[in-house]
Amino acid sequence: LEMPLALPHQAAYFPDDITSRTVLPSDITAFQELEQKISNSVWLQIQGSAAPNYFPSLGERLMQKLSNAQRWVRVFIQDENVIGYLSATTTSNQTKGTVFRPVIAQEHVEYLPHMLNEAAVWLRQLGKETIRIGVPDEREQLMQELLNRGWVKTVSWVQLVKWLER
C-alpha cells in the first residue's frame, strides 16, 4: 500500500496513555510473541519472521551504514503493555520510505494510523515524498482499514505471481 506524504497530516498524536520509544534488543521476546499471536503459523513458517527488519544483526547494520540506508524502528506501548511495532527504512537516493510488516494485534488496529503518522513525520523530515507499507495478504482486516483511510494498493503477491506467469 502507498500514500503520498504531501497529504495534510497532523503532528504525530496519540491518546495520553500511548507512548513510543526506540526498540531495544530486550524487546525481541515480546515481539516474537506478538508476531506469533497475529500470524498464521503456516504463513509464518513460509514467509519467516519480520524480526530481522526490527532487530537487524550487526552485519545488517553495517551494510545499512555502507549503503546509506536509514532505519526507524519503534515500539508502541499502552499502559505498560506493548500494542505494536513499526519499522521503516529509506536511502538517500529514494523518494519513498517503506514500512515493513507492521506487527500489531487486531484489537489495537485503531492506533495504526497514529503509528504510521509518526513514521510519516520521520520520512518528511528526511525529505521523502511517499510512504509505502507492506501488509501481508492474510491480514485482510488490517489491509481494509488502511484502504478505508486513503491508502492505495499498488501490488499484491497474487498480482505479482499472475504478472510473472504471463
Side-chain angles (χ1 to χ4, degrees), residues 4-164:
L5 291 173
L7 293 176
H9 290 278
Q10 298 175 3
Y13 163 78
F14 290 100
D16 293 337
D17 60 343
I18 294 180
T19 59
S20 73
R21 64 166 170 77
T22 301
V23 170
L24 304 171
S26 59
D27 291 319
I28 195 160
T29 301
F31 175 89
Q32 290 170 331
E33 289 172 359
L34 181 55
E35 184 178 44
Q36 289 174 1
K37 175 184 171 186
I38 66 170
S39 301
N40 176 300
S41 61
V42 174
W43 183 90
L44 197 55
Q45 278 184 319
I46 294 168
Q47 294 295 318
S49 174
N53 293 318
Y54 290 84
F55 305 92
S57 68
L58 179 60
E60 290 169 332
R61 288 192 308 264
L62 180 60
M63 288 304 296
Q64 287 173 355
K65 191 166 187 86
L66 293 173
S67 65
N68 203 20
Q70 294 175 296
R71 185 176 297 262
W72 175 93
V73 185
R74 307 289 288 179
V75 59
F76 295 85
I77 301 166
Q78 180 181 41
D79 298 327
E80 299 182 21
N81 296 311
V82 171
I83 63 168
Y85 297 83
L86 277 186
S87 173
T89 190
T90 190
T91 61
S92 59
N93 61 347
Q94 292 178 322
T95 60
K96 298 178 181 187
T98 302
V99 174
F100 296 101
R101 283 184 349 218
V103 177
I104 184 169
Q106 191 60 39
E107 64 264 22
H108 299 298
V109 166
E110 67 188 89
Y111 301 119
L112 184 58
H114 303 296
M115 294 164 63
L116 289 168
N117 192 50
E118 193 169 314
V121 167
W122 175 74
L123 290 167
R124 278 197 309 275
Q125 289 172 348
L126 296 174
K128 304 306 172 187
E129 300 171 8
T130 307
I131 185 172
R132 294 176 132 182
I133 184 170
V135 178
D137 287 336
E138 74 158 1
R139 304 273 330 253
E140 293 175 23
Q141 291 176 316
L142 180 61
M143 177 103 49
Q144 194 56 52
E145 177 74 23
L146 292 170
L147 290 170
N148 290 343
R149 293 183 175 268
W151 288 78
V152 176
K153 190 171 187 176
T154 57
V155 70
S156 73
W157 285 111
V158 174
Q159 291 171 317
L160 183 59
V161 168
K162 287 181 180 178
W163 180 80
L164 290 172

